[in-house]
Amino acid sequence: MGSIESDIDKLTLKLGNEEISPDINQLMEKLTLNLTSSSNLDKDVKPLLHSIKNFLLHSDIEFFDYDLLIELLDAIVALCPFEDVLAVFSVDDLVAALESGSRSLITTVCKVISAAYPRDIFAGTPLIDELLKLYFDDSAVVSIISELEKTFDTLSTNQLNRRRILENNLPTIMNAKNSNNSTTFCRLLDLLKMLAANVSFEEFRKDTFSVDEKTIREAMENDVLVFIHICQYVCELLNLVIKGHGKEWIVRYIDKTFDIFGEAYARRDELYDVSHFANSYLLRIFSKISYLDEKSYIKNLELRHFPLSVDKPYCVDFLTVLNPSYIVKSHKELLQELNLRPRNVHMFVNLIKDEECFNIIKDEINSKSLEAMPYLEQMFLLVGLTSELYGIHHLTHNIPAIMNNLIDSGNNVTEQVCFDLRQKVFENLLDADPQELSIWLIPLQSEYSNILNGRSKRLSEKHKVADEYI
């Protein structure tokens, strides 16, 4: 700790000097590194905080690394008592910094607010109001918006802060929602995503959090970037429902919009921008909807807008993203017509996730189909297959030639992505019950050691476990 204390004193003096030497950047870098790896800080840092504050307010030096100074400040406020921070940076100081237009000062305020303890200490001040005002200023640069979003993400975990945003600043929120400025509207959706993750049922106001059908339809027809942003927002709301955070009630506020997304997909041939730029986002929404407990939503969408059959060109896309348990219950006959090919590996990886679904398609996952694939696609499929116990059983008991090839192919793997996928297959297998692996256990352990530690020698003779197994 002596080195840190000494460097704090040195930097305090250097920042106060009229002449700043270039070596100050190295000192800040060293101090930042030491502080970020420390768990506590006993030194009184108020003099340094005063020096940082004054320096940011009154300096403009070309060679000085202001980003590094802010990174250092972030490390300091994370370790020191927050009352020390408040003793130097008053609320008035912070508000003035937000109004200054200076990226360095605004970023500094964001770091201070994010480190606040208790978390709601600024809820009764104008600071959050000023943050929102700056956030919805469409002239604000991307780096500032990024810092503001990090700050809102932290603030939104506290109820009093959420109340300040959603109640005290409701006019600001609604102005942004009704704005014709697409940048402002999209920023609002990003803010609402952060808030939605933390709000209770009582805090969730329909007029605030729901996007009406008219707005979605206008974006679908005229502004694909806004439409994509709405898709991302709806996906995030659906995620909150699916993940079981007790937010199932969100569905009732957004289910009326589901049909518009189905319509957008059905009209993709005439909606050029939607077809070329938003297709994947629509598929993501349909995927999320298929995982809701209430299956009538996805069933009705399918019947109205994208009926599934093997002759439909979009069939593979939907079998790749929809909940496989829904697919097997609604389209068992469709699964029986599938053939495993390199181009539809992602589809099979999705279908493998459900055991009933897997039992219908497993005969397609055989030595012939796998050996005909490029190595990358084969490893990708094996990662999916070995993620399930029944998939491991199928691999180790029914396609030993592929197991043998998996173990023997290490010397021929040159691409990093193939190496990483192969390693993941080994890890999935070795996580299984050793009895399930049977005679494959020792060769797998031996080859996995080679993966982790490198090969001391090239094997002169390939494993012949498959022959023994047969």
Side-chain angles (χ1 to χ4, degrees):
M1 187 61 73
S3 174
I4 291 179
E5 293 175 349
S6 173
D7 288 342
I8 286 175
D9 291 335
K10 288 179 185 177
L11 184 59
T12 302
L13 290 173
K14 283 180 176 289
L15 289 172
N17 290 338
E18 289 187 12
E19 295 292 329
I20 300 295
S21 58
D23 66 349
I24 194 170
N25 289 331
Q26 286 74 31
L27 177 59
M28 289 193 298
E29 184 175 12
K30 176 188 173 187
L31 184 53
T32 301
L33 181 62
N34 286 334
L35 286 173
T36 52
S37 59
S38 299
S39 57
N40 59 5
L41 180 59
D42 297 327
K43 174 79 172 175
D44 179 10
V45 293
K46 290 194 292 295
L48 177 56
L49 291 174
H50 274 292
S51 292
I52 292 174
K53 172 185 168 181
N54 292 329
F55 188 83
L56 287 171
L57 285 170
H58 303 114
S59 71
D60 184 15
I61 300 173
E62 186 175 343
F63 67 79
F64 188 86
D65 192 338
Y66 287 90
D67 289 336
L68 185 56
L69 181 61
I70 292 169
E71 188 179 341
L72 172 62
L73 177 65
D74 193 24
I76 294 170
V77 299
L79 292 174
C80 73
F82 197 70
E83 54 263 29
D84 289 354
V85 179
L86 287 179
V88 177
F89 295 94
S90 69
V91 171
D92 289 342
D93 289 335
L94 297 175
V95 169
L98 288 176
E99 294 173 340
S100 70
S102 163
R103 185 181 69 85
S104 296
L105 289 175
I106 292 170
T107 304
T108 298
V109 175
C110 289
K111 299 298 185 186
V112 170
I113 294 175
S114 295
Y117 184 82
R119 186 70 71 203
D120 56 13
I121 194 169
F122 295 123
T125 74
L127 269 175
I128 292 178
D129 312 343
E130 292 299 324
L131 289 174
L132 287 168
K133 188 185 302 182
L134 186 58
Y135 185 62
F136 291 124
D137 180 355
D138 61 2
S139 66
V141 298
V142 172
S143 59
I144 288 178
I145 296 300
S146 177
E147 288 298 331
L148 289 169
E149 286 178 342
K150 293 176 190 174
T151 306
F152 283 129
D153 196 34
T154 300
L155 290 174
S156 64
T157 59
N158 178 269
Q159 185 178 11
L160 289 179
N161 290 332
R162 294 196 301 272
R163 185 180 300 169
R164 183 81 188 196
I165 295 171
L166 293 169
E167 295 184 14
N168 294 57
N169 284 278
L170 182 61
T172 301
I173 296 295
M174 297 311 295
N175 284 339
K177 188 173 184 182
N178 297 323
S179 172
N180 292 323
N181 185 308
S182 59
T183 299
T184 300
F185 180 74
C186 289
R187 285 181 188 171
L188 173 66
L189 293 183
D190 289 337
L191 176 62
L192 293 177
K193 277 193 286 188
M194 294 178 254
L195 291 164
N198 297 287
V199 295
S200 63
F201 172 72
E202 292 74 21
E203 294 174 282
F204 193 97
R205 292 173 52 124
K206 181 178 180 180
D207 60 345
T208 301
F209 285 92
S210 298
V211 182
D212 62 72
E213 298 164 64
K214 179 176 179 288
T215 300
I216 300 174
R217 194 175 298 281
E218 287 178 353
M220 176 181 77
E221 300 275 1
N222 304 310
D223 194 332
V224 72
L225 293 180
V226 172
F227 184 70
I228 287 172
H229 234 82
I230 293 172
C231 289
Q232 292 173 319
Y233 175 63
V234 172
C235 273
E236 189 60 34
L237 293 182
L238 288 168
N239 260 337
L240 296 174
V241 177
I242 295 166
K243 290 179 179 178
H245 295 308
K247 295 184 182 290
E248 294 78 9
W249 41 266
I250 288 178
V251 176
R252 77 181 75 161
Y253 295 104
I254 59 175
D255 60 357
K256 298 295 187 296
T257 67
F258 291 169
D259 197 64
I260 300 176
F261 298 113
E263 178 190 335
Y265 187 83
R267 293 176 56 197
R268 64 196 181 282
D269 288 342
E270 62 181 277
L271 298 170
Y272 178 88
D273 286 345
V274 169
S275 174
H276 285 75
F277 304 110
N279 193 64
S280 63
Y281 297 96
L282 288 171
L283 289 173
R284 206 171 301 165
I285 287 180
F286 302 142
S287 174
K288 302 298 181 188
I289 293 173
S290 74
Y291 279 91
L292 295 174
D293 291 339
E294 180 52 68
K295 299 305 178 191
S296 64
Y297 292 125
I298 189 62
K299 188 171 184 179
N300 290 335
L301 281 170
E302 183 200 332
L303 289 173
R304 286 171 57 85
H305 301 296
F306 43 85
L308 297 182
S309 61
V310 72
D311 61 322
K312 299 293 185 182
Y314 53 74
C315 186
V316 170
D317 289 341
F318 280 91
L319 294 184
T320 301
V321 301
L322 293 185
N323 184 346
S325 69
Y326 165 76
I327 294 171
V328 74
K329 289 177 174 59
S330 303
H331 298 287
K332 187 173 292 187
E333 76 293 339
L334 187 58
L335 295 174
Q336 295 166 343
E337 300 182 55
L338 299 179
N339 297 307
L340 177 58
R341 299 288 185 269
R343 64 178 178 274
N344 63 18
V345 162
H346 287 78
M347 176 185 74
F348 269 77
V349 168
N350 180 53
L351 298 175
I352 286 168
K353 296 173 185 175
D354 180 85
E355 187 170 6
E356 184 181 356
C357 200
F358 171 75
N359 286 332
I360 297 174
I361 64 171
K362 67 180 180 181
D363 288 345
E364 273 297 306
I365 306 174
N366 54 53
S367 296
K368 183 179 178 181
S369 62
L370 287 169
E371 288 173 349
M373 288 184 182
Y375 194 78
L376 175 61
E377 281 76 6
Q378 184 185 128
M379 287 302 106
F380 186 79
L381 181 68
L382 290 183
V383 168
L385 189 64
T386 57
S387 296
E388 310 293 345
L389 291 178
Y390 48 82
I392 290 176
H393 181 86
H394 180 65
L395 176 61
T396 57
H397 288 70
N398 300 329
I399 39 180
I402 298 301
M403 279 295 294
N404 211 41
N405 181 62
L406 172 70
I407 293 170
D408 289 337
S409 62
N411 288 319
N412 300 320
V413 178
T414 57
E415 296 181 7
Q416 186 64 44
V417 63
C418 292
F419 180 91
D420 293 340
L421 288 171
R422 180 171 179 263
Q423 178 174 334
K424 181 61 177 175
V425 174
F426 274 83
E427 290 169 352
N428 287 347
L429 286 166
L430 291 170
D431 280 341
D433 187 336
Q435 290 185 339
E436 182 66 48
L437 299 177
S438 185
I439 59 173
W440 298 109
L441 178 60
I442 293 176
L444 283 170
Q445 289 174 331
S446 175
E447 181 61 14
Y448 185 59
S449 177
N450 287 332
I451 290 174
L452 296 181
N453 304 314
R455 297 170 184 275
S456 57
K457 61 178 180 179
R458 186 181 179 92
L459 296 177
S460 59
E461 183 180 348
K462 290 187 175 183
H463 299 291
K464 296 301 178 185
V465 178
D467 296 335
E468 290 182 33
Y469 189 86
I470 293 170

